[in-house]
Amino acid sequence: MGIAGICYAEILHQNKKSFYIIDNNQNGSSKIAAGIINPTVLKRYNMTWKGKEFYENAIKFYSNIENKYEKKIIYKHDILKVFTSISDQNNWAIASNKIQLSEFLESKIQTKKIKGLITEYGYGLVKKCARISTDNLISTFKNNLKDKYIKQDFDYNKLFYDNKKVIYKNIIAENILFCEGYSVVNNPFFKKFTCKRLKR
Ligand SMILES: Cc1cc2nc3c(=O)[nH]c(=O)nc-3n(C[C@H](O)[C@H](O)[C@H](O)COP(=O)(O)OP(=O)(O)OC[C@H]3O[C@@H](n4cnc5c(N)ncnc54)[C@H](O)[C@@H]3O)c2cc1C
């Protein structure tokens, strides 16, 4: 299971919709992701697309999951942006005064030494960030939604569409949603889009 499928399944579950998750338990990105939630782009000093909105929703969403399944999933902490020059410091000072960013970037340049880090030019704090334990998230879902989880390779040849229903083996459903991460390149239904992308 990957994070996209889990989030979608959780919303369906909250809305009392029936569903199945078909997953082959292979190596998806979610298993190795750092799980960082940071709404700012520190390379360009701006917000990610809809950064604040996504940030607030993500914190709320994962906190709810934590409470519901009684498992630690979200760890709140700051991120350090280490400066490598005076101009880095200047850029930080300007960015931390921008209306959108000031909520997240602490304007004061930090100088306290940190063992193992070269901080000759100091560093900045990105406040209110968080890390998701993707391991805990995935295992919690697997344990709690056992009856919805079918461990197998999805066989695209066995998928049919009939009378506005999706039919896959012995499952008849209203909709099907693919949350297969980078494996989408193997999905024949998205060939048109993935081929275009790969050509670039
Ligand atoms: C090293 C690394 C670090 C990252 N760090 C961060 C970070 O800090 N913060 C952040 O926001 N993002 C981070 N990302 C990006 C993030 O991990 C991905 O965007 C996210 O995990 C994608 O989730 P997904 O559910 O779409 O796909 P995936 O996690 O890849 O899940 C896809 C699932 O589909 C299953 N599957 C695929 N094909 C089939 C099939 N034919 N049949 C059955 N099952 C199938 C797979 O087994 C897998 O479980 C990082 C990515 C990497 C690689």
Side-chain angles (χ1 to χ4, degrees):
M1 279 187 220
I3 204 163
I6 286 174
C7 291
Y8 201 84
E10 175 59 22
I11 296 290
L12 291 176
H13 200 232
Q14 284 174 14
N15 285 282
K16 302 191 174 17
K17 302 278 181 195
S18 61
F19 62 90
Y20 285 106
I21 299 169
I22 299 167
D23 191 280
N24 59 13
N25 201 25
Q26 297 290 305
N27 295 329
S29 306
S30 305
K31 282 189 184 159
I32 50 167
I36 302 293
I37 299 178
N38 166 20
T40 67
V41 185
L42 296 175
K43 197 174 171 189
R44 296 190 185 83
Y45 286 126
N46 54 21
M47 292 289 278
T48 53
W49 180 68
K50 293 194 176 185
K52 190 163 154 65
E53 196 180 326
F54 282 135
Y55 164 83
E56 285 171 351
N57 270 307
I59 300 289
K60 198 168 141 201
F61 182 80
Y62 293 114
S63 303
N64 280 343
I65 291 186
E66 219 177 51
N67 293 336
K68 182 173 167 187
Y69 296 109
E70 295 177 344
K71 180 92 183 178
K72 189 76 188 148
I73 285 170
I74 184 162
Y75 299 83
K76 293 187 185 171
H77 50 71
D78 299 335
I79 290 178
L80 308 188
K81 161 76 177 169
V82 177
F83 305 131
T84 53
S85 64
I86 299 283
S87 79
D88 241 7
Q89 293 179 338
N90 291 340
N91 289 339
W92 179 270
I94 295 165
S96 62
N97 277 312
K98 285 188 189 169
I99 292 171
Q100 272 194 321
L101 289 170
S102 59
E103 181 182 345
F104 298 100
L105 306 189
E106 168 66 56
S107 57
K108 186 172 178 275
I109 290 173
Q110 313 290 315
T111 51
K112 194 175 167 199
K113 296 263 177 269
I114 298 174
K115 203 175 163 204
L117 272 187
I118 300 169
T119 53
E120 193 185 341
Y121 292 93
Y123 53 95
L125 290 183
V126 189
K127 301 173 286 185
K128 299 180 164 185
C129 292
R131 182 177 66 79
I132 301 297
S133 166
T134 52
D135 267 355
N136 284 359
L137 180 69
I138 294 169
S139 61
T140 299
F141 259 77
K142 274 194 183 149
N143 291 337
N144 283 284
L145 299 176
K146 268 189 203 126
D147 52 330
K148 316 259 182 215
Y149 176 47
I150 303 168
K151 188 181 163 204
Q152 61 179 241
D153 275 325
F154 188 82
D155 184 351
Y156 302 104
N157 295 316
K158 300 238 160 67
L159 180 67
F160 300 98
Y161 188 71
D162 185 40
N163 203 16
K164 295 190 178 170
K165 297 279 179 200
V166 177
I167 302 163
Y168 180 74
K169 297 185 179 173
N170 57 345
I171 301 172
I172 301 175
E174 305 257 326
N175 299 293
I176 180 165
L177 185 85
F178 291 103
C179 298
E180 57 211 330
Y182 63 84
S183 302
V184 72
V185 293
N186 303 321
N187 187 324
F189 301 105
F190 291 92
K191 236 182 178 107
K192 199 171 131 196
F193 306 105
T194 48
C195 287
K196 252 191 204 163
R197 181 126 197 266
L198 289 174
K199 270 185 202 158
R200 270 200 279 154

